[in-house]
Amino acid sequence: MTAEQTMRRTRTKPARITEIDGLRGVSLTLVVVFHLFGHGRVSGGVDVFLMISGFLLTLTLARSLGAGRPLGVVARWARTFIRLTPPAAVVLIAVVVLSFLVYEPWAQLGTLREVIATALYYENWHLISEQLTYDAAGSETSALQHFWSLSVQAQFFVVLPLVAVIVTLMSRRAATRVRIFWVAVIAGTICSFVYAWQLNAVDPTRAYFDSFARAWELGLGGIVAGLWKRGIVIPAAVRGIAGWIGLAMIVSSGFLFEGKESYPGPYALLPVLGAAIVLLSAGATHPASASRVLSHRSLVQLDRISYGLYLWHWPILIAYLTYRGDSDGVIGPLGAIGVLAAAYAATMLTTWLLRLPTRWAANRGVVVQLIAVGVAIAIAVAPAATSHASIVRSADIPLESCSGAAALDPDRPECRDFTAHASRMPPTGILPVEALRRTDDATRADCWSDMGDDSFDMCTLGDSDSDLRILALGDSHLAVMTDALEDIAEDQGWRIDMAARGWCRWMGEDAQLADIDQVLRDRCVSWREEADEVVEEGGYDAIFVAAASHSTFDVPEGVGQAEFETQKLLEAWSKRPDAENVPIIALHDNPRIFSSVQEPCFGNARALNDGDCSVPRDEAIADMTGLDDALARDPNAVTIDVNDYICAPDRCNPVVGGVAVYRDNAHMTATFIETLRPYIERELVDALR
């Protein structure tokens, strides 16, 4: 007898892994507990869910391939999605209702878009495209971000059976098909893990949601299924202790690692390999073994409601925090119990509502099941899409001649009393409507270097053949002015080449903002080097700069913030090859009003008109000493200031002339900038003279 035969004799597999139910129950508990109390930490429970999904699907496909049975891909999809889609559709309909009744009004449009993405199982890619992060619970957090994992799971359920179909077309022999299938699973898992490792190091936010970066977790589940199928499991003598080791690895991962930045890179091996050990040690018979605990009736029952609890707990948690006005996500024991009780009640109600129709569809064959899935998706998408279209149409409400900055123009006395009046504005009394305010942004991809990569993106605005050329450099406070600068360039017949990057001003070497990670610092250095090259090439008649003024820099010991800012600005400005003839035109930064001050007043025209949400002007406008000193020391540098058209002489209001000034704490809305454009243009023309 060979050593391999001896190993296989001692490593017999159990007939069925009953521990899977309990393992899913434990994983669910970890997810919910960390969502309620983790403050942004990630439990690793979702990684275990994905691993188990890969295990089960790969096992059934491998069995069908090995036995030469038809794969029944369409029937498999029908069975899977008739179970997943109807409960998700009920939750999504509830989220649409909550977006109008409870959730923050400014989040409404984004929530409706997420409902559509979730219903169509691409929520993870939507989160990537919108540059959203997996945030801790709070009133400003997406109510549907937890659906990303279900999208990844659904995509895997669609793709892997298709891989199996391709394998069947490659060979007529069952044994060959099985070998090709396992080679594909193993190779795909390895490639995905390497990709996840590399992507996690440079862009952890994208890696967290990326299907290709997550595929290795499902693939590893498939590899474990292959070992289990061949009887290559942990020997019976040590299964009891091995199971507890695997459980300890799963539970400890959320406490050992800080948060989402650790996943799905190499750190995710801890919970995923822990789950693998639990599965390969299944069948331990000792009363105190992990297998006996995971097979307990209470954990099996928890698994039966786990999907519903997972779907419901997060939207209810966000609704609760929004109702309380908590953006920091501190919920407390009583709040947590209330959220769990509400999620349980909603799960039971959903099960009761869907029990008869889903059972009826499940017994009517593949075609009926697929139709039922399509109907469930349509029921979820239709109200979200209709509401979204209605809100977007409201963006077409035109500005009036006195809207926005004109209300503060001393030469326009007829506009002085133009405020937020529902008689000539949307129901909120202001433009843009509150659901659009947070997204009312003129930033364009071709002018904006995305913070997720090292690119230097520069666009040309106005007349590309103009004899007067201006270079515009700055951060996000420049990017929001793209439309206004384009209109100015077209009006004046200028050419404006514009490049902007977030968290990065055009300054000298080693000027870095405090409290940003090393990846963003490195990308800022790279962007500045390319900006310097553009400046040094020359050919511009002026350089226009705009940037946030409420920034804190990492400064050497003994050097003041203002002194450092002045030094680094002058260092960058010195790169001009013809400084005597190429002026620096610096835009004085706009005032700042924190969202916590603004938000309570939106929708209340009386409070806005009475100045209840205004702040003292000297608090809203930052001390510009560093820039002021640089302007004073450069003989060919000037500043333009339009803050008199944003703030009254003593107060700054978040709404001016019936238009919301800000989309967040510091960035102005594109709508208000449109009203500010004539004053910026006038100042620019004067500066160029």
Side-chain angles (χ1 to χ4, degrees):
M1 183 179 296
T2 66
E4 182 180 357
Q5 290 172 326
T6 303
M7 180 184 70
R8 290 190 179 177
R9 174 175 290 184
T10 58
R11 297 186 178 183
T12 55
K13 65 181 179 183
R16 178 180 178 275
I17 302 182
T18 57
E19 293 85 346
I20 282 181
D21 298 333
L23 186 59
R24 282 192 295 221
V26 169
S27 301
L28 165 73
T29 302
L30 287 172
V31 171
V32 174
V33 167
F34 274 76
H35 278 173
L36 294 176
F37 303 108
H39 300 294
R41 299 184 75 94
V42 178
S43 67
V46 169
D47 305 81
V48 174
F49 272 127
L50 294 177
M51 188 271 186
I52 293 172
S53 298
F55 178 94
L56 294 173
L57 178 59
T58 308
L59 184 61
T60 58
L61 289 173
R63 283 172 170 171
S64 296
L65 287 170
R69 296 193 301 266
L71 293 173
V73 170
V74 176
R76 188 185 302 276
W77 289 339
R79 289 194 305 271
T80 298
F81 289 101
I82 195 63
R83 176 176 58 86
L84 296 177
T85 304
V90 173
V91 175
L92 294 178
I93 293 170
V95 168
V96 172
V97 175
L98 289 171
S99 72
F100 285 91
L101 299 180
V102 180
Y103 296 148
E104 296 285 6
W106 56 261
Q108 191 175 84
L109 202 65
T111 299
L112 295 175
R113 285 197 292 263
E114 284 192 62
V115 167
I116 297 170
T118 298
L120 298 176
Y121 293 104
Y122 68 92
E123 166 69 350
N124 62 315
W125 295 110
H126 174 79
L127 293 171
I128 290 173
S129 67
E130 294 295 310
Q131 297 184 26
L132 298 176
T133 60
Y134 192 83
D135 295 320
S139 60
E140 299 188 2
T141 309
S142 163
L144 292 172
Q145 68 176 17
H146 67 309
F147 269 90
W148 73 265
S149 60
L150 301 178
S151 295
V152 171
Q153 183 186 52
Q155 292 159 23
F156 185 79
F157 286 162
V158 170
V159 171
L160 189 63
L162 292 178
V163 172
V165 169
I166 294 172
V167 168
T168 63
L169 299 176
M170 296 175 67
S171 175
R172 299 175 62 89
R173 297 181 61 230
T176 303
R177 290 175 176 177
V178 170
R179 283 194 293 271
I180 296 173
F181 178 74
W182 286 117
V183 168
V185 170
I186 294 171
T189 301
I190 294 172
C191 290
S192 171
F193 181 75
V194 173
Y195 172 73
W197 193 340
Q198 294 177 343
L199 186 61
N200 185 252
V202 298
D203 194 351
T205 297
R206 180 186 178 93
Y208 193 86
F209 299 124
D210 194 307
S211 299
F212 300 105
R214 289 286 180 175
W216 73 266
E217 297 178 327
L218 295 120
L220 189 59
I223 293 172
V224 173
L227 297 175
W228 185 86
K229 184 174 179 293
R230 292 174 61 86
I232 304 175
V233 295
I234 293 174
V238 294
R239 284 179 191 168
I241 186 64
W244 284 115
I245 292 174
L247 269 180
M249 292 169 66
I250 294 170
V251 174
S252 65
S253 60
F255 297 95
L256 292 176
F257 307 134
E258 282 298 321
K260 59 184 180 294
E261 291 78 11
S262 302
Y263 298 86
Y267 290 126
L269 283 169
L270 185 64
V272 174
L273 289 180
I277 292 173
V278 170
L279 294 177
L280 294 176
S281 62
T285 57
H286 192 280
S289 67
S291 291
R292 295 293 291 271
V293 172
L294 290 172
S295 300
H296 193 271
R297 183 169 51 190
S298 60
L299 286 178
V300 173
Q301 179 61 30
L302 180 60
D303 176 57
R304 290 175 182 170
I305 63 172
S306 63
Y307 181 58
L309 285 176
Y310 185 82
L311 295 179
W312 277 108
H313 82 281
W314 188 258
I316 292 174
L317 172 60
I318 301 304
Y320 172 75
L321 293 172
T322 304
Y323 178 76
R324 286 184 49 188
D326 290 342
S327 60
D328 57 4
V330 178
I331 184 173
L334 291 179
I337 293 172
V339 169
L340 285 176
Y344 177 78
T347 299
M348 293 297 99
L349 179 60
T350 303
T351 302
W352 178 77
L353 287 172
L354 296 176
R355 181 165 52 92
L356 292 180
T358 53
R359 181 181 298 174
W360 177 86
N363 293 330
R364 291 298 185 280
V366 174
V367 174
V368 173
Q369 290 175 29
L370 291 176
I371 292 174
V373 170
V375 169
I377 291 174
I379 289 174
V381 167
T386 303
S387 301
H388 185 277
S390 176
I391 293 171
V392 170
R393 279 197 299 272
S394 68
D396 295 331
I397 299 173
L399 292 166
E400 298 189 27
S401 63
C402 285
S403 294
L408 293 174
D409 188 345
D411 296 328
R412 301 281 302 278
E414 73 277 12
C415 298
R416 188 172 302 147
D417 296 325
F418 190 97
T419 51
H421 295 298
S423 61
R424 57 174 178 256
M425 291 289 176
T428 57
I430 61 171
L431 284 172
V433 294
E434 182 62 359
L436 292 167
R437 182 169 64 87
R438 289 290 184 103
T439 57
D440 191 29
D441 182 11
T443 301
R444 298 184 199 170
D446 58 334
C447 313
W448 169 257
S449 297
D450 189 279
M451 289 183 287
D453 57 50
D454 294 322
S455 66
F456 178 84
D457 295 304
M458 186 167 69
C459 63
T460 296
L461 309 174
D463 182 0
S464 60
D465 297 323
S466 174
D467 292 332
L468 194 148
R469 300 178 62 197
I470 299 173
L471 176 64
L473 297 172
D475 60 9
S476 57
H477 284 226
L478 173 67
V480 299
M481 299 177 61
T482 305
D483 289 349
L485 290 178
E486 182 171 52
D487 289 342
I488 292 170
E490 290 176 351
D491 285 349
Q492 299 294 329
W494 299 341
R495 167 175 172 161
I496 299 179
D497 292 339
M498 174 178 158
R501 172 175 281 278
W503 301 99
C504 186
R505 296 172 62 180
W506 179 48
M507 301 179 74
E509 188 178 357
D510 300 329
Q512 293 288 356
L513 297 178
D515 301 323
I516 63 171
D517 62 38
Q518 190 59 45
V519 172
L520 290 179
R521 290 169 183 254
D522 293 341
R523 288 172 179 167
C524 183
V525 170
S526 175
W527 183 86
R528 283 177 178 158
E529 289 174 351
E530 297 207 43
D532 287 344
E533 290 181 8
V534 174
V535 171
E536 289 167 353
E537 286 176 5
Y540 291 101
D541 299 286
I543 299 177
F544 177 75
V545 294
S549 59
H550 297 78
S551 305
T552 301
F553 298 94
D554 278 337
V555 300
E557 187 175 350
V559 178
Q561 286 284 332
E563 177 188 354
F564 181 80
E565 181 182 9
T566 299
Q567 174 187 341
K568 294 303 174 180
L569 286 172
L570 292 172
E571 187 177 314
W573 297 354
S574 68
K575 302 290 177 65
R576 291 172 290 170
D578 187 9
E580 291 184 2
N581 295 306
V582 180
I584 294 290
I585 304 174
L587 177 69
H588 197 294
D589 193 27
N590 60 264
R592 181 179 186 181
I593 301 179
F594 287 101
S595 295
S596 58
V597 176
Q598 302 180 51
E599 307 262 335
C601 285
F602 283 110
N604 186 341
R606 184 207 58 77
L608 290 167
N609 294 336
D610 292 347
D612 291 353
C613 291
S614 64
V615 300
R617 177 172 172 140
D618 58 359
E619 292 182 9
I621 298 179
D623 182 0
M624 297 287 287
T625 304
L627 177 59
D628 288 341
D629 287 348
L631 291 165
R633 291 169 58 180
D634 189 311
N636 196 13
V638 295
T639 184
I640 62 176
D641 190 343
V642 292
N643 284 338
D644 286 345
Y645 303 96
I646 303 175
C647 292
D650 57 341
R651 309 284 295 184
C652 294
N653 201 311
V655 172
V656 172
V659 179
V661 178
Y662 305 96
R663 61 180 175 86
D664 52 26
N665 286 335
H667 296 91
M668 291 187 291
T669 63
T671 303
F672 186 79
I673 294 173
E674 182 180 346
T675 72
L676 194 62
R677 179 190 59 77
Y679 307 103
I680 298 173
E681 182 171 356
R682 185 175 65 190
E683 293 281 331
L684 261 178
V685 170
D686 288 344
L688 286 170
R689 285 175 183 161

